[in-house]
Amino acid sequence: MAAVQDGQLNMEVEKDIKTEITNDGSGNINANSSSPGSTSSGGKSKSPAGSGEDQQTLLAVLQFLKRNKLTESVDILRREAGLSADADDSPVSDSAGAGSGGVPNVSADGGDANSLLSRVSIATPVAPPATAPPKATGSMASGGEDQPDVNVVLSAYSQQGDPVLYPLYYNGLKKFIESVLDCHRAELSQVFYPLFVHMYLELVYNNHENEAKQFFEKFSGDQECYYEEDLRILSSMSKKEHMKGNETMLDFRTSKFVLRISRDSYQLLKRHLQERQNNQIWNIIQEHLYIDIFDGMPRSKSQIDAMSGSLAGEGKRDANKAKVFYGLLKEPEIEVPLDDEDEEAENEEGKPKKKKPKKDSMGSKSKKQDPNAPQQTRIPLPELKDSDKLDKIMNMKEATKKIRLSPDNLPSICFYSFLNAYQGLTAVDFTDDSSLIAGGFADSTVRVWSVTPKKLRRVKSAADLSNIDKESDDVLERIMDEKTASESKILYGHSGPVYGISFSPDRNYLLSSSEDGTVRLWSLQTFTCLVGYKGHNYPVWDTQFSPYGYYFISGGHDRVARLWATDHYQPLRMFAGHLADITCTLFHPNSNYVATGSADRTIRLWDVLTGNCVRILTGHKGPIHSLAFSPNGKFMASGATDGRVLLWDVGHGLMVGELKGHSDTIYALKFSRDGEILASGSMDNTVKLWDTLKAFDDVELDDFTAATGHIHLPENSQELLLGTYMTKSTPVIHLHFTRRNLLLAAGAYNP
Amino acid sequence: MAEERRPKQCTVVLPTESMKAMAESIGVGQLQEESCAALSEEVSYRIKEIAQDALKFMHHGKRRKLTTSDIDHALKLKNVEPLYGFQSQEFIPFRFASGGGRELHFYEEKEVDLSDIINTPLPRVPLDVSLKAHWLSIEGVQPAIPENPPPAPKEQQKAESTEPLKVVKPGQEEEGSIQKGQGAISAEAKGKKEGLMRMKPRSTHELSVEQQLYYKEITEACVGSCEAKRAEALQSIATDPGLYQMLPRFSTFISEGVRVNVVQNNLALLIYLMRMVKALMDNPTLYLEKYLHELIPAVVTCIVSKQLCLRPDVDNHWALRDFAARLMAQSCKTFSTTTNNIQSRITKTFTKSWLDEKTQWTTRYGCIAGLSELGPDVIKTLILPRLTVEGARIKAVSEGPVVSNIDKIGADHVQSLLLKHCASVIAKTRPLPDNMEQYRADYGYLGPTLCSHVVKARAQAALQAQQVNRTTLTITQPRPTLTVSQSGIGGSGGSRSPSIIKVPSSLTLMSTRPGTPTQPSPPATKYIVMATSAGASSTQQVLDGSLVITLSSSSGSSVTSTVASATSTLQPLVKLESRGAGGLGGSRPLQKYIVVSLPTSASSSLESKSGMLPPSSSSTSPISLEAGMKMDHTGYVPNGTLLPI
């Protein structure tokens, strides 16, 4: 015990002297490792070592012991492991035990000399081999090369690099990358951010508060601007204790940051780091980064920028390899009643000729099976009821009257302003036939309005219902209670702001998700709550019905998206993988897939059947707040707080367009009924219309780009922008195209 | 930018003194410095963490403002009990205190007497959420309706007029979040595509059918015979946001109208046109600079023209000159820049013709009025030195051989005008005492009268100083018009300030736009109450000067009767009335209540009674004109009652 103390004291003294002269940190390490870190590491060190780790691990443990002057244990371990010994002595295990005498001064001196050497070697790359004179290897308590192993075994961040050297390492790499050929520079620059983060976290983890702070101040300015948000979170973390339970921290620790780098660039980096013996950085790269190496041309800066920005780097390429059946399901066979109905309508209108061919084409189209479509029964869908069929017929009839939109023929926009909402409107939804509007409010209420002259009525009470003649034709009319007719109804039940709201396709139900962690299913017949789905314990940010009803998806603060069926009180699927809150959810038009957008700035596409994540789409630089699928299911649009809309090819998992123009969060996105026009609504009080046909046409998709995913995005936002419509002071939070392609927008007037 | 901010973010930590203060507040006396440091770091971190979570709630709440409830929810996420008592929607009233070398911000928790709360009347129940639909766009074109923002904001109108060669690209305007007519965007985009670069974008001034109709209606109403319609039309001009397309037409209408009507000596029409100018200037969405070359000559004409009416001896063209002069002063204030030098050019013009010996009394009056409206500085430097000369001239007319009646009237008016404006300036600048002889020596013929006016002005100023805090009128609140108009517009009208509200009993409340740049005197709210009855009697009362108006927000129906019944109730207003007649500059933030009673017909009896505002040649009633003109000043009160406070 005394000896250890002595040794430390010596070190302390030396350190003091040295910091003055050379600013060396080797003493620091020792001092630190014998304080809190050492106990934990000491405890853990045995198990992994015993469990047959490789030689490196053993070496690492040895070094650890040596550093703590436990020469005896070193010796034993050495003997046990049958390693060629450098050092000597015998007794048994463990750090906690007393360290007997030894030669602290000598070894420390050796270490110092060595560290000086290594520092020299780092500063001047001329003499890399000078680092490790064979005699000194044993006492290499400092410097770079021996570092990795122990700490890797112990914990993600217990690496004990010399904190003072961190900026040097980083700077060295920076210099190297700056000196590299232009074509590689952009690619290699991707390494900066994750390296920076991990180095900083390491420093913090090892209690080098001041060094961490300095490191941050020195290099945070170099990072890409779109990481600012994360850097802010990072900067607030300045103590080890803070790391406990911090989400960002957890994300960085548990997941590997994914980079895509061409083989050439990667080799370059690797060679450099090995030459320099820059193990600190090399370790971080090995431990915390996943480098997705591809063959071919290095990517350009703009290509990289387009794809980066998410919390955990880009999606791995093979993550997007799975086949996605993005085609639409075959429409059910309801032609026969349609014919009858249409015939009648035609006769009334007196021009049957014109309509006939149209209808036929429609029928034939729906009969043909889309090769990209999933099997009809891939997931079980609810059977169509008579009322659904009627609705489908209505839908088709309306569709024939649909306005053909084009850049020369823009849709009209009808804006529904919520007045006197006092900033409390948090979610809006329209029914597909645009007859009802529902709003979720911060005061926990859900309100439903009828925007047609047809008022909202409740079903009569059970007692009254029993008096009704059930055989009569208009029984559906009779069950409604005329006395309750009103233009709007309020649904009470939640105990927190309602953040998500969604009508069922048949207009019988309404879903709402709330801060209170529940999703509620409301009946629009009785205007009461039917079920409260409990599963998320944290705020549920969004919920969405499947286009075929029955299923719905919800996602929230707990980072898990859940797939539910209305008649099950427990979720059918849980989609886990996002690294931050799930902020928006959406069903694919064929109901076989679910897209979720998240605050980790990625979009994931999940297969409902298998529960697998089939697409990870990166490129947004802020939390994603809106998603939209094109009606043909082939494309997707997403909008985020960064004010950009990104367009995606779902089949290839590629970004195919970027629409810049909004200056604030985009809360609403919707494709027109035929997919020619995309409408986006934003917090900046505007609705913008974009020419998506052109956007998708402009993208040249050859095999190469499709295979590698490296796409040149045309800078054509301005040409694609068809119109900007500004409201007076109403953020646009929902958009909806009616069946006839009239655009409805909604938001709360905000005086 | 980011670089500057980040280090800060990294280091911002609560001061340790705060920790100490907080510890003391919960009874922990001696806190070690180290514990303080450790605590403050920990607390700062936790606070930041909570703030980040709260931001999430703000984003999902689709708001830009972080509220206390967001923080509560964030605390709930962390399983911390939320803070109670911070429910304020708008701001949290932290108070500041310092002492003993310490500075504290604290949340004041007052003891509240429950009985007080119980006894206070319940606040108005907030309006329920409602849904309102409007067209944001019709087939790609945004209609110019009140629910939509003005099609071209002032900045853009300015940009268009000052930099016509700069082709406005859609991208550029988005950056400034300035929007533009949509048709133009697509047209421009197409133009770009075809590679056609125009030298100067053709500015289209085509009016839609609706706009043409509107223009017709408005211009007809403005010069028509129905006063109510005119008021509405003027209000529309003053407030509607979508007029800029029509601005060139309005401007031409006014300038042509003045040209024609000056020749025809049609006083009434000139007055109407000037009121249109005023309304245009009041409209905050219009960029008038482009049309000053038409408007200013028209206004100046109305100030200095030799003859403005058929019978200069009886018609009150003086009021028009005053009004136009005020307009001129206002536009000098608003539009004068170092490049266009409007003010100095106008000043020169006025001075030049005033100095001219042959100038007629009417023009002379106009010049003086125009100059004196430009402010006390102008009066001091340009008018006061000439008082002696002018006095001699007046003396020549009034005491000399009887020339024409017209000259005499003109001289009289010039005299009273000079007295009115100069007295207030002299009262402020000239030191006491007010010696009659001294005045005569300094100012010549006008000296003695001026002296008495100055004395009066001084007395009034003193009185005013006394009365500033005393409420003389029992008028409930400045609210009533606002609330009425809110319900009228339906909330989505938003920034539109209340305009004309028709109350069933033919009572019209008007309030000028608050905060318009053209209003010189700061936050004065004005009401004009016009009632169509009781011409003669009320006039009498006003001239007597004792009158009380009680305006209540709910019932405006009884105004006419109040006018009559309140005659005897309150005395202080006598003084006010006289002061008003003395030409009080509206420099104080006072509320003015102007009551104009409209006669049932434009009868000649009125004219004879007042003797100041003769009937115009047309059958229109001049009273409301007065109402419009007397918005700022309360000089001539012919047949309405004006009560300045």
Side-chain angles (χ1 to χ4, degrees):
Chain A
M1 210 52 201
V4 174
Q5 284 290 2
D6 268 349
Q8 260 179 273
L9 277 177
N10 278 338
M11 301 301 282
E12 219 74 67
V13 173
E14 277 164 6
K15 192 187 80 184
D16 284 344
I17 299 163
K18 264 177 276 161
T19 39
E20 306 244 86
I21 310 159
T22 64
N23 205 12
D24 196 316
S26 68
N28 226 346
I29 298 169
N30 280 344
N32 274 322
S33 64
S34 58
S35 55
S38 77
T39 48
S40 67
S41 57
K44 278 191 203 163
S45 70
K46 267 207 286 182
S47 54
S51 67
E53 287 284 338
D54 57 358
Q55 206 158 342
Q56 262 203 331
T57 316
L58 265 175
L59 269 176
V61 174
L62 276 174
Q63 272 147 19
F64 173 78
L65 292 174
K66 224 177 279 165
R67 210 183 308 139
N68 288 304
K69 317 288 179 303
L70 301 169
T71 35
E72 295 162 18
S73 347
V74 172
D75 214 46
I76 290 177
L77 192 60
R78 229 171 249 290
R79 237 180 289 140
E80 297 276 314
L83 287 166
S84 61
D86 267 29
D88 31 45
D89 273 353
S90 50
V92 218
S93 66
D94 268 345
S95 51
S100 65
V103 274
N105 278 337
V106 178
S107 70
D109 279 342
D112 291 334
N114 209 13
S115 72
L116 272 178
L117 270 179
S118 69
R119 271 186 57 247
V120 170
S121 73
I122 286 157
T124 53
V126 199
T131 5
K135 220 204 118 196
T137 30
S139 56
M140 283 267 285
S142 58
E145 58 196 309
D146 56 337
Q147 267 323 312
D149 349 47
V150 189
N151 319 301
V152 170
V153 182
L154 299 184
S155 151
Y157 280 124
S158 59
Q159 295 199 17
Q160 300 264 327
D162 183 342
V164 182
L165 292 182
Y166 273 56
L168 282 175
Y169 290 144
Y170 191 86
N171 241 339
L173 187 72
K174 203 170 137 188
K175 281 212 183 86
F176 162 69
I177 290 179
E178 274 164 11
S179 68
V180 106
L181 282 178
D182 278 359
C183 59
H184 298 299
R185 193 184 301 150
E187 283 210 314
L188 292 179
S189 303
Q190 299 176 80
V191 180
F192 281 136
Y193 173 67
L195 262 188
F196 170 80
V197 170
H198 284 291
M199 287 173 98
Y200 176 77
L201 289 178
E202 256 181 48
L203 285 172
V204 171
Y205 187 85
N206 292 315
N207 291 314
H208 304 304
E209 243 178 82
N210 290 329
E211 283 86 352
K213 207 174 269 182
Q214 278 163 14
F215 184 75
F216 189 91
E217 280 173 24
K218 196 161 174 195
F219 297 114
S220 65
D222 299 350
Q223 310 307 325
E224 300 282 356
C225 54
Y226 40 79
Y227 291 120
E228 201 180 318
E229 196 76 359
D230 285 342
L231 288 178
R232 197 182 315 149
I233 296 174
L234 214 57
S235 73
S236 65
M237 247 188 305
S238 57
K239 277 195 184 298
K240 190 176 176 184
E241 297 86 70
H242 296 160
M243 294 166 88
K244 243 176 260 162
N246 185 296
E247 295 161 8
T248 323
M249 176 57 216
L250 226 75
D251 294 335
F252 275 113
R253 259 174 92 164
T254 53
S255 60
K256 289 189 167 186
F257 197 94
V258 182
L259 297 172
R260 283 189 205 174
I261 292 186
S262 71
R263 189 171 294 284
D264 294 351
S265 309
Y266 179 69
Q267 295 293 355
L268 216 60
L269 179 71
K270 199 171 162 189
R271 211 176 311 133
H272 166 78
L273 290 175
Q274 279 173 350
E275 267 173 24
R276 296 293 190 80
Q277 308 276 321
N278 203 341
N279 286 325
Q280 196 67 43
I281 288 183
W282 186 241
N283 283 324
I284 292 179
I285 291 181
Q286 299 248 296
E287 283 305 310
H288 302 295
L289 307 192
Y290 177 95
I291 299 197
D292 195 356
I293 302 163
F294 63 87
D295 292 302
M297 286 276 291
R299 294 185 295 168
S300 71
K301 175 92 175 114
S302 63
Q303 277 175 318
I304 292 168
D305 277 351
M307 300 286 285
S308 56
S310 96
L311 198 58
E314 299 178 35
K316 297 176 192 171
R317 266 178 310 149
D318 44 355
N320 289 344
K321 283 281 184 271
K323 178 155 175 58
V324 171
F325 300 102
Y326 57 80
L328 299 185
L329 293 179
K330 208 165 57 168
E331 285 296 316
E333 310 269 341
I334 44 168
E335 263 77 43
V336 188
L338 171 73
D339 275 352
D340 293 345
E341 287 274 332
D342 250 22
E343 223 86 67
E344 279 169 35
E346 282 157 17
N347 290 340
E348 278 165 32
E349 285 165 32
K351 40 178 176 179
K353 250 196 164 177
K354 200 185 162 196
K355 286 221 169 165
K356 204 81 176 174
K358 232 184 207 170
K359 178 177 32 127
D360 282 347
S361 70
M362 196 184 291
S364 63
K365 195 169 86 186
S366 59
K367 265 173 213 150
K368 200 174 24 175
Q369 174 76 15
D370 186 338
N372 290 312
Q375 280 195 326
Q376 205 70 11
T377 53
R378 193 163 175 270
I379 60 161
L381 291 172
E383 292 227 341
L384 283 181
K385 289 176 292 198
D386 286 348
S387 56
D388 295 331
K389 286 180 183 161
L390 275 176
D391 196 54
K392 285 246 185 275
I393 292 162
M394 276 301 293
N395 192 355
M396 288 186 178
K397 272 194 194 165
E398 293 261 345
T400 59
K401 294 171 189 159
K402 186 165 56 187
I403 297 165
R404 283 230 153 254
L405 297 179
S406 69
D408 302 319
N409 193 12
L410 293 176
S412 299
I413 308 173
C414 179
F415 202 102
Y416 285 94
S417 308
F418 287 77
L419 306 175
N420 311 314
Y422 308 106
Q423 299 240 331
L425 182 70
T426 44
V428 180
D429 196 29
F430 288 91
T431 53
D432 188 64
D433 69 347
S434 319
S435 63
L436 301 176
I437 297 182
F441 290 84
D443 62 0
S444 317
T445 59
V446 175
R447 289 161 196 256
V448 185
W449 280 267
S450 168
V451 289
T452 55
K454 199 177 154 194
K455 298 217 164 147
L456 299 174
R457 292 170 301 175
R458 233 173 249 162
V459 172
K460 285 178 184 162
S461 68
D464 292 339
L465 282 177
S466 60
N467 299 332
I468 291 175
D469 173 15
K470 288 160 196 75
E471 300 305 312
S472 72
D473 287 342
D474 59 344
V475 67
L476 285 178
E477 269 301 307
R478 289 194 183 199
I479 58 171
M480 306 313 277
D481 189 353
E482 273 311 322
K483 276 175 285 182
T484 61
S486 64
E487 267 179 23
S488 78
K489 290 259 184 281
I490 306 179
L491 307 173
Y492 297 102
H494 280 295
S495 61
V498 180
Y499 290 116
I501 206 165
S502 175
F503 279 108
S504 74
D506 60 5
R507 297 188 298 285
N508 282 327
Y509 305 105
L510 177 69
L511 276 174
S512 62
S513 69
S514 157
E515 185 269 344
D516 62 13
T518 62
V519 178
R520 283 179 185 269
L521 182 74
W522 309 86
S523 163
L524 298 181
Q525 303 292 332
T526 59
F527 292 98
T528 51
C529 182
L530 300 177
V531 199
Y533 299 95
K534 291 169 189 167
H536 297 276
N537 279 323
Y538 289 105
V540 189
W541 296 132
D542 199 9
T543 185
Q544 183 86 32
F545 250 116
S546 150
Y548 293 87
Y550 186 59
Y551 300 108
F552 66 92
I553 177 93
S554 66
H557 179 70
D558 59 4
R559 307 156 179 214
V560 179
R562 287 169 162 79
L563 179 88
W564 312 73
T566 45
D567 56 358
H568 288 63
Y569 61 87
Q570 281 180 324
L572 304 180
R573 296 278 185 278
M574 311 244 293
F575 304 115
H578 275 298
L579 299 176
D581 300 29
I582 289 173
T583 46
C584 54
T585 56
L586 185 68
F587 261 96
H588 189 275
N590 68 20
S591 197
N592 277 259
Y593 297 92
V594 161
T596 54
S598 160
D600 67 9
R601 309 188 284 274
T602 63
I603 301 156
R604 283 171 187 252
L605 194 69
W606 310 86
D607 189 334
V608 167
L609 183 69
T610 62
N612 291 334
C613 174
V614 290
R615 291 285 178 271
I616 303 176
L617 308 172
T618 60
H620 273 298
K621 319 287 190 237
I624 290 145
H625 275 277
S626 54
L627 293 170
F629 275 107
S630 70
N632 62 12
K634 201 162 179 273
F635 298 103
M636 185 164 71
S638 58
T641 51
D642 57 9
R644 300 180 317 146
V645 178
L646 295 183
L647 302 173
W648 308 91
D649 182 325
V650 175
H652 294 101
L654 289 180
M655 188 195 299
V656 292
E658 179 187 14
L659 308 174
K660 289 187 229 171
H662 282 294
S663 60
D664 209 333
T665 310
I666 294 160
Y667 281 116
L669 279 173
K670 199 67 127 197
F671 280 94
S672 68
R673 291 276 168 165
D674 292 325
E676 318 90 337
I677 281 182
L678 175 70
S680 61
S682 157
M683 195 71 185
D684 64 11
N685 302 346
T686 56
V687 176
K688 285 182 192 281
L689 302 178
W690 309 88
D691 185 349
T692 46
L693 276 191
K694 186 163 159 19
F696 296 137
D697 278 352
D698 281 359
V699 174
E700 68 266 16
L701 259 192
D702 51 53
D703 289 342
F704 175 73
T705 50
T708 57
H710 308 148
I711 199 152
H712 284 281
L713 285 182
E715 271 285 333
N716 55 357
S717 297
Q718 294 319 320
E719 292 162 40
L720 298 178
L721 179 64
L722 297 177
T724 301
Y725 305 96
M726 194 161 194
T727 65
K728 236 176 176 175
S729 180
T730 313
V732 185
I733 65 169
H734 193 75
L735 290 167
H736 174 79
F737 273 98
T738 68
R739 288 168 175 173
R740 296 187 188 187
N741 264 338
L742 169 72
L743 180 56
L744 306 180
Y749 178 64
N750 189 1
Chain B
M1 175 197 88
E3 278 92 310
E4 290 164 28
R5 224 170 47 213
R6 272 181 213 148
K8 236 195 225 165
Q9 287 161 357
C10 185
T11 52
V12 167
V13 168
L14 293 174
T16 48
E17 290 87 60
S18 308
M19 295 300 123
K20 274 197 187 136
M22 282 176 216
E24 276 169 27
S25 75
I26 54 164
V28 180
Q30 297 293 318
L31 205 60
Q32 302 263 311
E33 193 62 37
E34 288 144 45
S35 351
C36 277
L39 264 179
S40 79
E41 212 160 311
E42 176 69 13
V43 169
S44 316
Y45 172 71
R46 297 297 163 198
I47 288 178
K48 283 176 194 170
E49 218 177 31
I50 288 165
Q52 275 159 16
D53 279 337
L55 270 182
K56 266 182 201 169
F57 284 94
M58 181 193 79
H59 276 301
H60 283 280
K62 274 101 177 165
R63 273 175 281 120
R64 276 207 198 86
K65 203 193 275 173
L66 192 73
T67 65
T68 49
S69 65
D70 289 334
I71 304 223
D72 286 351
H73 289 137
L75 287 169
K76 201 175 150 195
L77 270 193
K78 300 249 174 262
N79 273 330
V80 183
E81 196 167 357
L83 302 165
Y84 299 105
F86 293 94
Q87 295 299 336
S88 164
Q89 282 284 325
E90 285 305 312
F91 70 109
I92 305 161
F94 282 107
R95 304 242 346 240
F96 175 76
S98 63
R102 274 191 178 177
E103 295 182 337
L104 274 181
H105 289 269
F106 62 93
Y107 181 63
E108 196 179 36
E109 287 179 292
K110 284 186 197 145
E111 267 184 30
V112 183
D113 192 350
L114 274 183
S115 62
D116 280 357
I117 295 181
I118 294 166
N119 290 333
T120 46
L122 286 174
R124 217 155 51 96
V125 179
L127 294 171
D128 199 15
V129 185
S130 61
L131 203 57
K132 188 171 183 290
H134 73 266
W135 289 108
L136 186 66
S137 142
I138 296 170
E139 290 175 359
V141 181
Q142 192 161 22
I145 48 173
E147 285 87 351
N148 287 328
K154 228 171 167 179
E155 299 81 44
Q156 195 197 326
Q157 294 176 39
K158 183 176 177 182
E160 270 176 12
S161 61
T162 49
E163 293 171 71
L165 284 178
K166 193 170 144 199
V167 179
V168 186
K169 282 185 199 158
Q172 289 168 331
E173 53 187 14
E174 266 124 45
E175 278 156 22
S177 78
I178 298 166
Q179 305 311 318
K180 212 191 149 191
Q182 299 313 310
I185 281 190
S186 54
E188 229 155 35
K190 258 180 243 154
K192 223 169 44 178
K193 225 184 304 169
E194 289 152 21
L196 297 175
M197 208 58 171
R198 286 171 304 223
M199 280 305 287
K200 182 179 168 181
R202 181 169 44 93
S203 49
T204 48
H205 289 293
E206 291 160 25
L207 298 187
S208 65
V209 181
E210 293 84 0
Q211 282 173 320
Q212 288 173 25
L213 265 176
Y214 173 85
Y215 175 76
K216 188 167 157 265
E217 285 288 321
I218 288 284
T219 46
E220 275 175 10
C222 278
V223 296
S225 56
C226 174
E227 182 51 36
K229 259 192 186 172
R230 175 163 27 255
E232 267 183 75
L234 290 174
Q235 196 62 37
S236 170
I237 294 177
T239 52
D240 252 322
L243 291 183
Y244 94 109
Q245 288 275 8
M246 277 170 268
L247 193 50
R249 279 150 223 258
F250 277 127
S251 151
T252 318
F253 178 82
I254 290 166
S255 87
E256 287 298 316
V258 168
R259 194 173 305 177
V260 170
N261 287 299
V262 159
V263 175
Q264 296 184 350
N265 292 326
N266 195 339
L267 180 64
L269 280 179
L270 288 174
I271 289 170
Y272 299 150
L273 290 169
M274 284 303 107
R275 289 178 66 191
M276 275 180 83
V277 176
K278 162 112 179 115
L280 282 176
M281 285 172 68
D282 283 348
N283 191 325
T285 65
L286 293 180
Y287 181 76
L288 272 188
E289 276 85 338
K290 226 167 149 181
Y291 305 99
L292 287 182
H293 65 281
E294 285 190 314
L295 295 179
I296 286 187
V299 175
V300 173
T301 305
C302 289
I303 301 176
V304 297
S305 174
K306 264 183 239 163
Q307 198 178 356
L308 287 168
C309 47
L310 287 173
R311 288 172 294 166
D313 48 340
V314 275
D315 287 348
N316 187 3
H317 57 95
W318 313 106
L320 172 62
R321 292 177 200 274
D322 282 339
F323 183 67
R326 237 168 282 137
L327 273 182
M328 195 60 238
Q330 192 183 334
S331 50
C332 280
K333 262 192 209 109
T334 332
F335 304 118
S336 189
T337 63
T338 44
T339 34
N340 61 18
N341 273 329
I342 293 180
Q343 170 136 7
S344 65
R345 280 156 71 188
I346 292 292
T347 317
K348 258 180 226 153
T349 316
F350 284 146
T351 332
K352 206 176 142 205
S353 56
W354 183 27
L355 294 183
D356 191 344
E357 285 298 317
K358 288 173 209 139
T359 310
Q360 296 207 0
W361 282 107
T362 46
T363 310
R364 200 168 287 276
Y365 179 92
C367 291
I368 297 170
L371 284 174
S372 35
E373 288 296 340
L374 289 174
D377 284 341
V378 178
I379 296 176
K380 212 169 122 190
T381 50
L382 289 173
I383 300 181
L384 291 189
R386 281 196 47 90
L387 270 184
T388 331
V389 184
E390 208 56 37
R393 203 195 303 275
I394 293 168
K395 188 182 177 189
V397 173
S398 52
E399 290 179 5
V402 180
V403 212
S404 74
N405 192 25
I406 292 175
D407 273 358
K408 190 154 166 40
I409 293 175
D412 278 352
H413 275 286
V414 170
Q415 179 177 351
S416 59
L417 180 76
L418 283 171
L419 290 176
K420 183 175 96 181
H421 285 295
C422 296
S424 60
V425 174
I426 293 174
K428 278 192 194 111
T429 53
R430 194 182 163 98
L432 286 166
D434 296 321
N435 187 338
M436 202 74 91
E437 290 311 310
Q438 191 61 41
Y439 268 82
R440 185 188 295 281
D442 287 351
Y443 303 115
Y445 170 72
L446 289 176
T449 18
L450 194 60
C451 180
S452 62
H453 271 83
V454 170
V455 171
K456 226 184 269 173
R458 285 194 208 271
Q460 232 166 52
L463 189 89
Q464 210 171 349
Q466 279 177 5
Q467 281 195 339
V468 166
N469 291 326
R470 226 200 295 164
T471 38
T472 36
L473 271 195
T474 50
I475 283 176
T476 49
Q477 274 165 352
R479 275 288 163 78
T481 41
L482 289 173
T483 43
V484 177
S485 77
Q486 249 174 14
S487 60
I489 292 169
S492 103
S495 64
R496 290 185 56 159
S497 82
S499 43
I500 302 180
I501 302 98
K502 285 260 192 271
V503 192
S505 66
S506 83
L507 173 91
T508 312
L509 291 176
M510 288 171 81
S511 92
T512 50
R513 295 178 66 84
T516 0
T518 48
Q519 287 295 327
S521 57
T525 326
K526 290 163 194 154
Y527 296 89
I528 299 177
V529 184
M530 294 191 274
T532 51
S533 69
S537 63
S538 62
T539 312
Q540 202 53 51
Q541 290 154 14
V542 177
L543 294 177
D544 290 351
S546 52
L547 172 68
V548 168
I549 316 153
T550 41
L551 264 184
S552 68
S553 60
S554 53
S555 69
S557 56
S558 61
V559 166
T560 342
S561 59
T562 352
V563 169
S565 64
T567 319
S568 57
T569 40
L570 211 76
Q571 286 308 315
L573 287 172
V574 185
K575 303 163 202 158
L576 295 173
E577 167 63 21
S578 62
R579 174 162 48 93
L584 164 76
S587 59
R588 285 173 183 277
L590 295 172
Q591 288 187 338
K592 294 180 189 171
Y593 296 87
I594 305 169
V595 180
V596 178
S597 61
L598 210 67
T600 39
S601 66
S603 60
S604 56
S605 67
L606 277 176
E607 158 210 349
S608 63
K609 195 159 287 173
S610 65
M612 291 173 101
L613 192 92
S616 50
S617 56
S618 69
S619 67
T620 54
S621 121
I623 289 85
S624 52
L625 142 75
E626 282 298 316
M629 292 170 59
K630 296 300 176 272
M631 301 259 274
D632 295 328
H633 269 253
T634 52
Y636 306 91
V637 191
N639 43 12
T641 62
L642 297 184
L643 291 177
I645 305 156

